[in-house]
Amino acid sequence: MRHAHARTVSATAPTPAAVEAGLTEKQRAILAHLREHADEQTYFKSRLVGEALGLSAKEVGTNMPALADADVGLDVEKWGYSSATTWKVTR
């Protein structure tokens, strides 16, 4: 006979600290940079974020979607593809 195991599901969203704990070190560094430098709405180029953090533009671009998908208190949206990918960040 099989027994069903009850799972408790919380109706509350994870805390920002819990969300950030699930991010990689690079993602947390990028997030800190965005928070420090973002006004109400700011555009960031992957290349310039990378230069500020000692990362390549590719490393920034690879990690930004995780920040866009996570509930980190910022709205992160891929915006442009000119000479470097641009990200629109809104508080």
Side-chain angles (χ1 to χ4, degrees), residues 16-27:
V19 171
E20 287 184 38
L23 300 176
T24 67
E25 184 177 333
K26 287 179 186 177
Q27 290 163 353

Side-chain angles (χ1 to χ4, degrees), residues 16-74:
V19 171
E20 287 184 38
L23 300 176
T24 67
E25 184 177 333
K26 287 179 186 177
Q27 290 163 353
R28 287 191 301 272
I30 294 167
L31 178 59
H33 179 83
L34 298 178
R35 283 182 173 154
E36 182 178 340
H37 297 284
D39 293 323
E40 188 172 318
Q41 180 176 299
T42 308
Y43 295 86
F44 292 92
K45 287 198 175 286
S46 293
R47 178 179 53 81
L48 298 177
V49 173
E51 286 176 7
L53 298 175
L55 301 172
S56 70
K58 184 174 183 171
E59 287 174 301
V60 173
T62 299
N63 285 285
M64 289 292 275
L67 299 179
D69 292 341
D71 184 12
V72 294
L74 295 175

